[in-house]
Amino acid sequence: MRFKLIYLILLSFISTFTLICPQTALSAQNRNPNLDTKWKLYSLDKTSQEQTGLKTNILAGLILEPKNGWYTYSHNPGKLGQPTTLTATLTPDNTILPVIYLPGKLKDDPFNKGQKVAIYSEPTPILVPVPPSLESFTLKTKLSLLMCSDTACQPFKTDLDFFGMAVSPKNLPQASLQPWWPKFVKTRNGAKTIKISLKNIASKEEAKNADKTAKSQPQKNASPEQELETGRLNSVFSFSSLTPRSFTPGLEVTDLTTAILFGLLAGFLLNFMPCVLPVISLKLSTLLAGAGHENEEEQKRGFREHNIFFALGILLYFGILSGILGMTGMAWGQIFQKPPVVIGLTGIVFALSLSLFGLFNLPIVDLKLGSENSGPRRQALFTGVLATLLATPCSGPFLGGVLGWAMVQPHYIISSVFLSVGAGMALPYILMAVFPGLATKFPKPGAWTIWIERAAGFFLAGTCIYLFSILPEDMYIPTMIFLWFTAVGAWMWGISAGADKKAVMHLLRVSALAICISAGIWAATPQERAAHWIGFEQEDFTARLGREAMLVEFTADWCPSCKVLEQTVLTPVNLNRWQETYGLTFIKVDLTAPDKTADEFLRALGSRSIPLAAIFKPGQTASSPTVIRDIYTTGQMEEALKQTLK
């Protein structure tokens, strides 16, 4: 029994670490599911250098590619919005390189009606001129931006380093042939010539340092007003220059003893926070443990044992969490910023709510009050872990000052503070274990406990709504599908208990687990970026006609066949491949609501029904598109593209 318990604890630690840190080995670009970044090098010929005023023949570009309907503000977004900024340093000399930003596209600000902001919603490069004398170099860059959808914004900062080896301008793609080149030339019009070389940069840095030294000395001939103005204009802001003052200095945490005392108090108060309501059944299971026994000694023994292991579960959770945060440098609550963790936790809470409505019995944590189950110690231990996990979001108001000081301390201090918080939260259960006679004061489980279980089930279902609100909008539908499969898996697990043969029972349970795990992995995996669809506008379409290869899709929300095609043929994989092969522009004509112009366009293509797709080739024959009606396959679309655009 002891070996099994140790094995389960070790397994829970590994599972928790895997869930919380699924991407620690991945590059910085993969830390945000709504943004892709990649480095590219371009060459500048003499003509391009004259056009842009850049005296270098190598241009590095960090391509920002928002996806899933999100966007980021440009470097000059206007009066509102947080600018996208990039700092680039050339190593090993630590010389700062200039950074050039393209203008953003104007958009109605969803957070301030009537206002316009400049955004990057399509692949956009941030350009860094590189000294041409270097064949191998390393760029160390820091990217800071604000990712937004129409309903939410998320700040994002990361380091994106680039190592170039044996770089030869003649082997690089020409910058002047890139789609962003016209905007870049327009940005550089009237700008000062920038000569990029190590000598040039070094001289600038020396001049800058000399200038700082001169400014640090008092000017004898300058008036106080001039000195003030000069300091205002030439001072460089640094976060290290901030000297904050606490409004309540007496409550600030400055040493380990104070942090432990505050941690004990904060942990104790967590038991009474409003968000522990979803785990009311877990608390009641502790209070009513042992009440079902007829013998008084057995009641006390069961009550004491349950409370001890429940408290151990709390301490285990805080111990694991302190190790994870100490090793990864993550902030408190940052685990809820990772969609896979939130999706997994949502599935667990949803399964718990289904168990309380009697659909099935959980194999590890049975929340039904007074239910007989095997392994009461294991049940109590994992119930304590789960109760603490669900109560974590409520800890912010009490732990802010404690963790703000502790998280910048050595690992042993972080662990001490977290264990003190766990001890504070476990204190009521430790006291009940010390006084097991309390077991005789609680009523025995009966018909009334069914109503408590159902109420707790509704609380847990409500917790799922809260967890949903944390997720990015583009993950709502995958998470709902995951929960649907979780319900199917729970039902299969429930009916397995009545199976006549053990083989059938095991088959049903393995299948149920496989369904839930597969659906969870699918929901938590970021969807592949689809090619950008452009909404149909007659003027825009007319301007593109004859100049670009276009695939026009007619669709509507009320058209099931259209949705089938979007899931089977017009998939992200196919669209990306066709775009790369044929350079297609994708235009979507939405007929969900009445649109006279769109209807006229559909009739002009010889149809009055959808689905319908039309392929327009560039050139003089653009007015004779290839039309594909009704349901079609991937092979048919590929053949039509090949024949039309060959």
PDB file of all heavy atoms in Angstrom, residues 478-498:
ATOM      1  N   PRO A 478     -13.343  24.139 -29.813  1.00  0.00           N
ATOM      2  CA  PRO A 478     -12.627  22.897 -29.500  1.00  0.00           C
ATOM      3  C   PRO A 478     -12.819  22.434 -28.057  1.00  0.00           C
ATOM      4  O   PRO A 478     -12.944  21.226 -27.806  1.00  0.00           O
ATOM      5  CB  PRO A 478     -11.158  23.270 -29.762  1.00  0.00           C
ATOM      6  CG  PRO A 478     -11.216  24.359 -30.775  1.00  0.00           C
ATOM      7  CD  PRO A 478     -12.441  25.140 -30.433  1.00  0.00           C
ATOM      8  N   THR A 479     -12.890  23.376 -27.111  1.00  0.00           N
ATOM      9  CA  THR A 479     -13.081  22.983 -25.711  1.00  0.00           C
ATOM     10  C   THR A 479     -14.478  22.419 -25.485  1.00  0.00           C
ATOM     11  O   THR A 479     -14.652  21.443 -24.732  1.00  0.00           O
ATOM     12  CB  THR A 479     -12.842  24.188 -24.783  1.00  0.00           C
ATOM     13  OG1 THR A 479     -11.544  24.737 -25.032  1.00  0.00           O
ATOM     14  CG2 THR A 479     -12.922  23.786 -23.327  1.00  0.00           C
ATOM     15  N   MET A 480     -15.485  22.999 -26.125  1.00  0.00           N
ATOM     16  CA  MET A 480     -16.846  22.463 -25.997  1.00  0.00           C
ATOM     17  C   MET A 480     -16.935  21.054 -26.579  1.00  0.00           C
ATOM     18  O   MET A 480     -17.604  20.169 -26.018  1.00  0.00           O
ATOM     19  CB  MET A 480     -17.829  23.400 -26.698  1.00  0.00           C
ATOM     20  CG  MET A 480     -17.997  24.753 -26.003  1.00  0.00           C
ATOM     21  SD  MET A 480     -19.126  25.857 -26.867  1.00  0.00           S
ATOM     22  CE  MET A 480     -20.676  25.005 -26.642  1.00  0.00           C
ATOM     23  N   ILE A 481     -16.244  20.824 -27.698  1.00  0.00           N
ATOM     24  CA  ILE A 481     -16.221  19.476 -28.277  1.00  0.00           C
ATOM     25  C   ILE A 481     -15.524  18.509 -27.319  1.00  0.00           C
ATOM     26  O   ILE A 481     -15.967  17.364 -27.125  1.00  0.00           O
ATOM     27  CB  ILE A 481     -15.516  19.505 -29.640  1.00  0.00           C
ATOM     28  CG1 ILE A 481     -16.345  20.337 -30.634  1.00  0.00           C
ATOM     29  CG2 ILE A 481     -15.295  18.095 -30.180  1.00  0.00           C
ATOM     30  CD1 ILE A 481     -15.662  20.567 -31.960  1.00  0.00           C
ATOM     31  N   PHE A 482     -14.441  18.971 -26.700  1.00  0.00           N
ATOM     32  CA  PHE A 482     -13.736  18.152 -25.715  1.00  0.00           C
ATOM     33  C   PHE A 482     -14.657  17.785 -24.549  1.00  0.00           C
ATOM     34  O   PHE A 482     -14.676  16.627 -24.096  1.00  0.00           O
ATOM     35  CB  PHE A 482     -12.508  18.913 -25.222  1.00  0.00           C
ATOM     36  CG  PHE A 482     -11.897  18.365 -23.965  1.00  0.00           C
ATOM     37  CD1 PHE A 482     -11.532  17.027 -23.862  1.00  0.00           C
ATOM     38  CD2 PHE A 482     -11.681  19.195 -22.870  1.00  0.00           C
ATOM     39  CE1 PHE A 482     -10.966  16.532 -22.692  1.00  0.00           C
ATOM     40  CE2 PHE A 482     -11.114  18.706 -21.709  1.00  0.00           C
ATOM     41  CZ  PHE A 482     -10.763  17.371 -21.621  1.00  0.00           C
ATOM     42  N   LEU A 483     -15.440  18.743 -24.057  1.00  0.00           N
ATOM     43  CA  LEU A 483     -16.354  18.462 -22.951  1.00  0.00           C
ATOM     44  C   LEU A 483     -17.444  17.479 -23.374  1.00  0.00           C
ATOM     45  O   LEU A 483     -17.881  16.639 -22.575  1.00  0.00           O
ATOM     46  CB  LEU A 483     -16.970  19.763 -22.433  1.00  0.00           C
ATOM     47  CG  LEU A 483     -16.001  20.764 -21.791  1.00  0.00           C
ATOM     48  CD1 LEU A 483     -16.762  21.962 -21.248  1.00  0.00           C
ATOM     49  CD2 LEU A 483     -15.189  20.104 -20.678  1.00  0.00           C
ATOM     50  N   TRP A 484     -17.884  17.581 -24.630  1.00  0.00           N
ATOM     51  CA  TRP A 484     -18.892  16.629 -25.121  1.00  0.00           C
ATOM     52  C   TRP A 484     -18.325  15.215 -25.102  1.00  0.00           C
ATOM     53  O   TRP A 484     -18.986  14.270 -24.647  1.00  0.00           O
ATOM     54  CB  TRP A 484     -19.319  17.022 -26.539  1.00  0.00           C
ATOM     55  CG  TRP A 484     -20.437  16.181 -27.074  1.00  0.00           C
ATOM     56  CD1 TRP A 484     -21.775  16.354 -26.884  1.00  0.00           C
ATOM     57  CD2 TRP A 484     -20.298  14.993 -27.876  1.00  0.00           C
ATOM     58  NE1 TRP A 484     -22.485  15.362 -27.521  1.00  0.00           N
ATOM     59  CE2 TRP A 484     -21.604  14.510 -28.137  1.00  0.00           C
ATOM     60  CE3 TRP A 484     -19.216  14.302 -28.390  1.00  0.00           C
ATOM     61  CZ2 TRP A 484     -21.838  13.379 -28.897  1.00  0.00           C
ATOM     62  CZ3 TRP A 484     -19.446  13.160 -29.156  1.00  0.00           C
ATOM     63  CH2 TRP A 484     -20.741  12.711 -29.405  1.00  0.00           C
ATOM     64  N   PHE A 485     -17.086  15.057 -25.565  1.00  0.00           N
ATOM     65  CA  PHE A 485     -16.452  13.733 -25.546  1.00  0.00           C
ATOM     66  C   PHE A 485     -16.189  13.284 -24.109  1.00  0.00           C
ATOM     67  O   PHE A 485     -16.218  12.080 -23.815  1.00  0.00           O
ATOM     68  CB  PHE A 485     -15.155  13.756 -26.342  1.00  0.00           C
ATOM     69  CG  PHE A 485     -15.351  13.591 -27.826  1.00  0.00           C
ATOM     70  CD1 PHE A 485     -15.198  14.663 -28.682  1.00  0.00           C
ATOM     71  CD2 PHE A 485     -15.714  12.362 -28.360  1.00  0.00           C
ATOM     72  CE1 PHE A 485     -15.387  14.523 -30.039  1.00  0.00           C
ATOM     73  CE2 PHE A 485     -15.905  12.202 -29.723  1.00  0.00           C
ATOM     74  CZ  PHE A 485     -15.742  13.285 -30.569  1.00  0.00           C
ATOM     75  N   THR A 486     -15.928  14.242 -23.212  1.00  0.00           N
ATOM     76  CA  THR A 486     -15.755  13.890 -21.800  1.00  0.00           C
ATOM     77  C   THR A 486     -17.041  13.294 -21.237  1.00  0.00           C
ATOM     78  O   THR A 486     -17.009  12.318 -20.476  1.00  0.00           O
ATOM     79  CB  THR A 486     -15.357  15.133 -20.991  1.00  0.00           C
ATOM     80  OG1 THR A 486     -14.119  15.649 -21.488  1.00  0.00           O
ATOM     81  CG2 THR A 486     -15.190  14.807 -19.514  1.00  0.00           C
ATOM     82  N   ALA A 487     -18.183  13.878 -21.622  1.00  0.00           N
ATOM     83  CA  ALA A 487     -19.469  13.333 -21.178  1.00  0.00           C
ATOM     84  C   ALA A 487     -19.689  11.928 -21.729  1.00  0.00           C
ATOM     85  O   ALA A 487     -20.181  11.035 -21.019  1.00  0.00           O
ATOM     86  CB  ALA A 487     -20.599  14.268 -21.620  1.00  0.00           C
ATOM     87  N   VAL A 488     -19.316  11.714 -22.998  1.00  0.00           N
ATOM     88  CA  VAL A 488     -19.439  10.368 -23.586  1.00  0.00           C
ATOM     89  C   VAL A 488     -18.550   9.384 -22.831  1.00  0.00           C
ATOM     90  O   VAL A 488     -18.968   8.262 -22.505  1.00  0.00           O
ATOM     91  CB  VAL A 488     -19.059  10.404 -25.085  1.00  0.00           C
ATOM     92  CG1 VAL A 488     -19.012   8.989 -25.651  1.00  0.00           C
ATOM     93  CG2 VAL A 488     -20.052  11.250 -25.866  1.00  0.00           C
ATOM     94  N   GLY A 489     -17.298   9.814 -22.536  1.00  0.00           N
ATOM     95  CA  GLY A 489     -16.394   8.948 -21.791  1.00  0.00           C
ATOM     96  C   GLY A 489     -16.910   8.637 -20.397  1.00  0.00           C
ATOM     97  O   GLY A 489     -16.791   7.496 -19.925  1.00  0.00           O
ATOM     98  N   ALA A 490     -17.494   9.636 -19.730  1.00  0.00           N
ATOM     99  CA  ALA A 490     -18.052   9.420 -18.389  1.00  0.00           C
ATOM    100  C   ALA A 490     -19.204   8.427 -18.443  1.00  0.00           C
ATOM    101  O   ALA A 490     -19.344   7.553 -17.564  1.00  0.00           O
ATOM    102  CB  ALA A 490     -18.511  10.752 -17.802  1.00  0.00           C
ATOM    103  N   TRP A 491     -20.043   8.543 -19.470  1.00  0.00           N
ATOM    104  CA  TRP A 491     -21.171   7.607 -19.624  1.00  0.00           C
ATOM    105  C   TRP A 491     -20.662   6.185 -19.848  1.00  0.00           C
ATOM    106  O   TRP A 491     -21.178   5.225 -19.254  1.00  0.00           O
ATOM    107  CB  TRP A 491     -22.037   8.063 -20.788  1.00  0.00           C
ATOM    108  CG  TRP A 491     -23.116   7.081 -21.145  1.00  0.00           C
ATOM    109  CD1 TRP A 491     -24.273   6.827 -20.476  1.00  0.00           C
ATOM    110  CD2 TRP A 491     -23.096   6.192 -22.279  1.00  0.00           C
ATOM    111  NE1 TRP A 491     -24.986   5.853 -21.108  1.00  0.00           N
ATOM    112  CE2 TRP A 491     -24.283   5.440 -22.223  1.00  0.00           C
ATOM    113  CE3 TRP A 491     -22.199   5.985 -23.318  1.00  0.00           C
ATOM    114  CZ2 TRP A 491     -24.592   4.481 -23.183  1.00  0.00           C
ATOM    115  CZ3 TRP A 491     -22.500   5.029 -24.280  1.00  0.00           C
ATOM    116  CH2 TRP A 491     -23.681   4.289 -24.208  1.00  0.00           C
ATOM    117  N   MET A 492     -19.631   6.034 -20.693  1.00  0.00           N
ATOM    118  CA  MET A 492     -19.067   4.708 -20.947  1.00  0.00           C
ATOM    119  C   MET A 492     -18.477   4.123 -19.670  1.00  0.00           C
ATOM    120  O   MET A 492     -18.610   2.928 -19.396  1.00  0.00           O
ATOM    121  CB  MET A 492     -17.999   4.797 -22.042  1.00  0.00           C
ATOM    122  CG  MET A 492     -18.549   5.127 -23.413  1.00  0.00           C
ATOM    123  SD  MET A 492     -17.241   5.354 -24.656  1.00  0.00           S
ATOM    124  CE  MET A 492     -16.491   3.735 -24.671  1.00  0.00           C
ATOM    125  N   TRP A 493     -17.803   4.975 -18.884  1.00  0.00           N
ATOM    126  CA  TRP A 493     -17.231   4.492 -17.621  1.00  0.00           C
ATOM    127  C   TRP A 493     -18.352   4.053 -16.666  1.00  0.00           C
ATOM    128  O   TRP A 493     -18.216   3.061 -15.946  1.00  0.00           O
ATOM    129  CB  TRP A 493     -16.390   5.595 -16.988  1.00  0.00           C
ATOM    130  CG  TRP A 493     -15.563   5.117 -15.830  1.00  0.00           C
ATOM    131  CD1 TRP A 493     -15.985   4.821 -14.570  1.00  0.00           C
ATOM    132  CD2 TRP A 493     -14.163   4.851 -15.853  1.00  0.00           C
ATOM    133  NE1 TRP A 493     -14.936   4.403 -13.792  1.00  0.00           N
ATOM    134  CE2 TRP A 493     -13.797   4.414 -14.554  1.00  0.00           C
ATOM    135  CE3 TRP A 493     -13.177   4.960 -16.822  1.00  0.00           C
ATOM    136  CZ2 TRP A 493     -12.489   4.082 -14.214  1.00  0.00           C
ATOM    137  CZ3 TRP A 493     -11.869   4.639 -16.485  1.00  0.00           C
ATOM    138  CH2 TRP A 493     -11.535   4.195 -15.205  1.00  0.00           C
ATOM    139  N   GLY A 494     -19.458   4.805 -16.663  1.00  0.00           N
ATOM    140  CA  GLY A 494     -20.572   4.469 -15.778  1.00  0.00           C
ATOM    141  C   GLY A 494     -21.211   3.136 -16.120  1.00  0.00           C
ATOM    142  O   GLY A 494     -21.493   2.327 -15.223  1.00  0.00           O
ATOM    143  N   ILE A 495     -21.417   2.869 -17.428  1.00  0.00           N
ATOM    144  CA  ILE A 495     -22.073   1.606 -17.799  1.00  0.00           C
ATOM    145  C   ILE A 495     -21.121   0.426 -17.667  1.00  0.00           C
ATOM    146  O   ILE A 495     -21.563  -0.727 -17.608  1.00  0.00           O
ATOM    147  CB  ILE A 495     -22.631   1.661 -19.234  1.00  0.00           C
ATOM    148  CG1 ILE A 495     -21.501   1.838 -20.248  1.00  0.00           C
ATOM    149  CG2 ILE A 495     -23.667   2.758 -19.371  1.00  0.00           C
ATOM    150  CD1 ILE A 495     -21.985   1.736 -21.696  1.00  0.00           C
ATOM    151  N   SER A 496     -19.793   0.715 -17.611  1.00  0.00           N
ATOM    152  CA  SER A 496     -18.841  -0.390 -17.471  1.00  0.00           C
ATOM    153  C   SER A 496     -18.993  -1.098 -16.129  1.00  0.00           C
ATOM    154  O   SER A 496     -18.645  -2.276 -16.001  1.00  0.00           O
ATOM    155  CB  SER A 496     -17.409   0.124 -17.634  1.00  0.00           C
ATOM    156  OG  SER A 496     -17.038   0.941 -16.523  1.00  0.00           O
ATOM    157  N   ALA A 497     -19.510  -0.377 -15.120  1.00  0.00           N
ATOM    158  CA  ALA A 497     -19.671  -0.984 -13.792  1.00  0.00           C
ATOM    159  C   ALA A 497     -20.684  -2.125 -13.814  1.00  0.00           C
ATOM    160  O   ALA A 497     -20.619  -3.029 -12.969  1.00  0.00           O
ATOM    161  CB  ALA A 497     -20.097   0.076 -12.779  1.00  0.00           C
ATOM    162  N   GLY A 498     -21.615  -2.101 -14.770  1.00  0.00           N
ATOM    163  CA  GLY A 498     -22.619  -3.164 -14.846  1.00  0.00           C
ATOM    164  C   GLY A 498     -22.289  -4.252 -15.834  1.00  0.00           C
ATOM    165  O   GLY A 498     -23.149  -5.091 -16.146  1.00  0.00           O
TER     166      GLY A 498
END
